[in-house]
Amino acid sequence: MKKDYTSRRYVLVCAMLMLSIITYAQTGSLSGKVSDEKNETLPGASIAIKELTKGTTTDAEGNFRIAGILNGDYTVVISFIGYQPFQKKVTITGDTQSNFQLLPSSNALSEVVVIGYGTQRKRDLTGAVTSVTAEDFNKGTVASPEQLITGKVAGVSITTNGGAPGAGSTIRIRGAASLTASNDPLIVIDGVPISNNGISGSPNALSLINPNDIASMSILKDASAAAIYGSRASNGVILITTKKGTSGKPSLSFSSQNSISRLTKQADVLSADQFRTFVNERGNAELKALLGSANTNWQDEIYQTATNTDNNLSFSGTTKKVPYRFSLGYLDQQGVLKTGSLNRTSGAINLTPRLLNNKLKVDLSLKGSLSNSRFANEGAIGSAVTFDPTKPVFDVGNNKFGGYYEWMDGANLKQLAPRNPLALLEQREDNGKAKRSIGNVQLDYSLPFLPELHANLNLGYDISKGTGRTFVPENAASRFERFTDPNDNTLKFSGDNNTYEQRQDNKLVEFYLNYVKDIKAISGRIDVVAGYAYQDFKTKNFNFPDYTANGTLVSTPNFAFNIPQNRLLSYYGRLNYAFKNKYLLTATIRTDGSSRFNPEKRFGTFPSVALAWKIKEETFLATSNVVSDLKLRLGYGLTGQQDIGSNYAYASYYNLSNSTAQYQLGDTFYNMYRPDGFNANRRWEQTLTSNIGLDFGLLSNRITGTLDYYFKKTDRLLNNINQPAGTNFSNREIFNVGNMENQGLEFTISTEAIKSKSLNWDIGFNITYNQNKITRLTLTPDPTSVGNLEGGISGGTGQTVQVNSVGSPRNSFYVYQQVYDQAGKPIDGVFVDRNTDGVFNEKDLYRYKSPDPKVFLGLNSTVSYKKWDAGFSARANFGNYAYNNVFSNTGITRNILNPIGVLNNGSTNVLESGISGSVNGDRSIISDYYVQNASFLRMDNINLGYAVGKLVKNTADLRISANVQNAFVITNYKGLDPEISNGIDNNFYPRPRMFVLGLNLIF
């Protein structure tokens, strides 16, 4: 019996084994990896078997596995937000492996957003973040990166600082948060936070970065998005990502844009005939005798039609599984103001290899540029407004001043008279050369024992060198000075022959850990970042002796150079948690230490928290055909400010004096070190921001938009306040005193108005309302305090026209209230006695209007029909005012009939206002009459393009384009241009209109 039982058991075991073998032979699994068009893995992608109910999502490395599939043919469906749905037939025979690559959908790049230390799906954002990609950048000749997004982003105001070649911009994100410290946002390029300092020899530090190399720009506007950058984030953050290599066949791209620039408007001054009439009617005999016979338009003499060219060549692809991109750019830009130019050569290398079975990601980015600039003497702009139009450009027969006409007092030069505008330009050579290189290598390693955990090391640098030389010949009237040469006691003429040099060396070391995992136990997904950063900013300023044009020594600095330096030490962390893909949490904290503060007050901590609710994921909206996306966001956080310009002002120190404070030894003057002002109690300025936002999408996201309300409160303002005599080495010093608020509303909407095979029409619109108010300026409330006077102007001695005071916006105009006659004409020198004390004095000044717009908006549109495309981008500011310093300085009788015995031209406003400038002295120019509404609508760009198609045996694609930049401005402002960043219109370099022709060729 025992033997039979054993035999039967043996037969049963064999049968079961055979059955399992047969079953195993009939089932299998599918595994693989999902990546994007750049071979970057896609974590969280959905994989489904169409014929079955089986499915899964990719892990942090983009890997997936589906087991228990019967052998056979199946349709695999892969989907990921921002990418085209993908289907592929797969035959399962046992354990089958297949990789999948997704292509971005038409709006894919707007779906995946670069944030601080990583990327995130747009639908998962909890903070106020806006991303603009190359496809939506402003078209045309753009010399500086920030101008690519002008007018594109709600809450972001970008105002160019004039029309000079390579001119920079004033960037404000949700208003200004500081009074004395920097209001510029932090800019991070490929993970390297750069300095806001300018570079000697360059018109603008950002102009050394080629805009053509930029792939996208993300703007972090609220504290929940920006607090990860802590002490440098109170003014917002702009993340710039440059273009990388792509998989597939090598691609060669060439673009060329050639343009001409023309002046759109001249300052409205008296013509030669109007000038003669004015002088003959109102001048005395002595002044009438000074009139000349010429008819000179001095603005015609100093301005020109300028030519520009911008050429870029790039080569990208993959070799031995290493994606690469190499680029070379050349920009040659002339200024409409004669003698000004910018020449920039740039290059960039991006390598993105994946090593160790894709566990090690390497991102190598190197960018370099060399610029050569000639800086035009912008003093010629003001001189062209005021120089007598009845005088000739050249003084025939007199070569004393290089042949140019100048005002003379007998045989001598009139020292207080204006200088010949053309001579100011042509007799000055100010040539600068700047080199800049920004680079970094990021190593991202997936740990073998825990693949969801990544270690990231970022080593970066930003190095620049600027040199230059200013030469003015000794016979130039602008530098016509006589002095005794100590070597031979003879009289010498002056001129300039001076050099300058500066070097900046900024370094970054950063390391962080990133853990991303879907955890079923908590019904959600976590994304954790924890890191450390060290930044070192060092500047070396060389101090060279001053020489005359012929090489005579004028003054010698006591030391060859000085080296200001500051460092930042940071620790940071962030948690993103998504619960059931409906409820999102972001918590951030960063601790920064800055060497700019006393060691006892050196560190500051900056936390933030944000919540989001994906309302669309709720059952009551999940099946809606109208609402395709709906998300509510709430955020609150703290950011900091330490960019005060001075690196050592927390301690008593000595600083090198300037040319107005020199020590004389014999006949030589020396710069000496002297004690400077300090404040040992200075500490972080900090900004608290609250934000509530709503993101929406309608009709399958044909219509998308956001609505945000924000409130920003800055306390411990770094404020430059007066000091009692004898308490410091400076009469004004920076203390943490005061509060300021910004609150506003932002609305953005984009729509695909028409979407068909041959015709597409996209429209984008954004509008921002911002209100700024100072709430405290003194340690204790002081209702009698006027505030801090700001905004120096021309036309008076030490005059200011703006004030920072409690209850008013920053830089409010501080003026007298003009009295007008029944015809609406200002009464000369008569103002309102606002305090009704019967005395007219400075106590009657009042706060009137602000240079900052209350509302600004952007509008853009693109239409494509078959091979044609066209578009425009426009901006508008409302509620901004400007002080017309050209009118107040030149549009008065006293300026034209000058008591020093010269004739000056002036604004035609002198014919209307009747203001003499002689009543009440300098007070007459501090009038609200000159504060004018500067609201405007500007058409920034109108463009047209045509895709020619295949050329060169179908190996190349050609597209040609044309556009007009600064097409027109609609405004009631009476000055040259209403868009003045600081609100004081004086000596402004006009923005030209540009006509651009371009071509793009891709092989």
Side-chain angles (χ1 to χ4, degrees), residues 508-683:
L508 167 71
V509 177
E510 195 162 43
F511 177 80
Y512 66 86
L513 296 172
N514 182 208
Y515 181 78
V516 182
K517 188 173 179 62
D518 290 300
I519 304 176
K520 292 183 180 180
I522 58 174
S523 302
R525 178 185 180 87
I526 64 170
D527 183 342
V528 183
V529 172
Y532 158 88
Y534 171 83
Q535 288 181 267
D536 178 78
F537 302 91
K538 186 192 314 185
T539 301
K540 181 182 288 187
N541 296 307
F542 290 78
N543 299 299
F544 294 99
D546 290 335
Y547 293 97
T548 64
N550 65 4
T552 302
L553 181 67
V554 177
S555 66
T556 303
N558 200 36
F559 292 90
F561 54 79
N562 58 60
I563 309 177
Q565 185 174 15
N566 70 288
R567 298 181 178 91
L568 286 171
L569 184 65
S570 310
Y571 305 91
Y572 54 87
R574 180 179 61 210
L575 167 67
N576 285 320
Y577 172 51
F579 178 68
K580 293 186 176 180
N581 199 34
K582 293 182 185 180
Y583 313 107
L584 309 174
L585 165 70
T586 299
T588 303
I589 189 167
R590 180 165 178 142
T591 296
D592 281 333
S594 172
S595 63
R596 283 175 164 155
F597 299 107
N598 189 313
E600 296 178 359
K601 304 178 185 297
R602 184 155 289 176
F603 281 86
T605 299
F606 308 97
S608 75
V609 64
L611 300 170
W613 174 26
K614 293 184 181 180
I615 307 174
K616 171 61 179 175
E617 300 297 327
E618 299 293 347
T619 54
F620 60 85
L621 273 181
T623 58
S624 172
N625 294 324
V626 177
V627 180
S628 48
D629 189 22
L630 190 62
K631 181 175 63 176
L632 179 67
R633 295 177 282 105
L634 296 170
Y636 179 82
L638 183 70
T639 51
Q641 171 67 278
Q642 53 84 44
D643 194 357
I644 54 177
S646 175
N647 293 329
Y648 314 110
Y650 65 86
S652 178
Y653 71 106
Y654 286 78
N655 197 17
L656 192 65
S657 68
N658 54 34
S659 59
T660 62
Q662 295 178 323
Y663 190 83
Q664 184 177 5
L665 290 175
D667 294 317
T668 305
F669 292 85
Y670 295 88
N671 296 92
M672 304 295 288
Y673 276 84
R674 58 182 177 175
D676 214 333
F678 71 99
N679 174 16
N681 294 317
R682 187 180 302 167
R683 58 192 305 184

Side-chain angles (χ1 to χ4, degrees), residues 38 108-122 125 127-133 188-192 214-221 225-226 228-229 237-244 442 512 574 576:
K38 299 179 181 179
L109 290 175
S110 64
E111 296 290 346
V112 179
V113 178
V114 177
I115 60 174
Y117 307 104
T119 60
Q120 197 170 12
R121 291 181 297 182
K122 183 177 180 180
L125 291 174
V129 181
T130 301
S131 181
V132 183
T133 63
V188 182
I189 303 177
D190 287 336
V192 180
I214 296 175
S216 68
M217 300 175 74
S218 290
I219 297 87
L220 314 184
K221 295 186 285 186
I228 192 69
Y229 288 103
V237 182
I238 298 178
L239 306 178
I240 297 177
T241 303
T242 59
K243 296 174 182 177
K244 305 295 192 295
Q442 288 197 64
Y512 66 86
R574 180 179 61 210
N576 285 320

Side-chain angles (χ1 to χ4, degrees), residues 749-774:
I749 188 168
S750 300
T751 178
E752 297 174 339
I754 300 176
K755 187 176 182 180
S756 66
K757 185 176 181 180
S758 58
L759 177 62
N760 293 279
W761 182 21
D762 296 332
I763 305 172
F765 173 77
N766 67 80
I767 185 168
T768 303
Y769 167 79
N770 184 80
Q771 183 180 19
N772 171 270
K773 184 171 67 173
I774 299 171

Side-chain angles (χ1 to χ4, degrees), residues 75-299:
T75 303
V76 180
V77 180
I78 303 100
S79 60
F80 188 73
I81 295 294
Y83 288 79
Q84 299 175 16
F86 182 82
Q87 294 188 18
K88 181 180 179 181
K89 286 287 186 181
V90 175
T91 300
I92 303 296
T93 55
D95 291 332
T96 304
Q97 190 170 26
S98 182
N99 295 329
F100 304 94
Q101 189 175 53
L102 303 187
L103 296 176
S105 60
S106 58
N107 62 345
L109 290 175
S110 64
E111 296 290 346
V112 179
V113 178
V114 177
I115 60 174
Y117 307 104
T119 60
Q120 197 170 12
R121 291 181 297 182
K122 183 177 180 180
R123 63 180 299 180
D124 292 338
L125 291 174
T126 58
V129 181
T130 301
S131 181
V132 183
T133 63
E135 184 179 283
D136 298 317
F137 285 161
N138 290 321
K139 305 297 190 294
T141 300
V142 178
S144 193
E146 77 282 357
Q147 295 165 21
L148 294 170
I149 59 171
T150 302
K152 296 287 187 178
V153 183
V156 180
S157 172
I158 300 175
T159 304
T160 57
N161 300 329
S169 302
T170 299
I171 309 172
R172 296 292 177 262
I173 298 178
R174 292 186 167 181
S178 184
L179 294 180
T180 302
S182 172
N183 281 298
D184 297 329
L186 170 66
I187 296 178
V188 182
I189 303 177
D190 287 336
V192 180
I194 64 173
S195 169
N196 286 331
N197 295 335
I199 298 174
S200 298
S202 171
N204 162 33
L206 281 179
S207 69
L208 292 169
I209 300 165
N210 187 351
N212 193 70
D213 288 328
I214 296 175
S216 68
M217 300 175 74
S218 290
I219 297 87
L220 314 184
K221 295 186 285 186
D222 71 340
S224 86
I228 192 69
Y229 288 103
S231 65
R232 303 185 66 189
S234 63
N235 300 310
V237 182
I238 298 178
L239 306 178
I240 297 177
T241 303
T242 59
K243 296 174 182 177
K244 305 295 192 295
T246 58
S247 59
K249 295 181 179 179
S251 174
L252 178 66
S253 176
F254 173 74
S255 67
S256 179
Q257 296 189 93
N258 298 276
S259 61
I260 58 173
S261 301
R262 291 179 177 172
L263 202 65
T264 61
K265 183 181 179 181
Q266 292 184 356
D268 195 5
V269 298
L270 298 176
S271 67
D273 290 338
Q274 288 176 311
F275 186 79
R276 290 188 186 93
T277 300
F278 187 94
V279 174
N280 283 324
E281 290 179 353
R282 308 190 191 189
N284 56 34
E286 181 182 352
L287 291 173
K288 292 177 184 179
L290 297 176
L291 287 169
S293 59
N295 292 282
T296 304
N297 184 327
W298 288 102
Q299 294 181 84

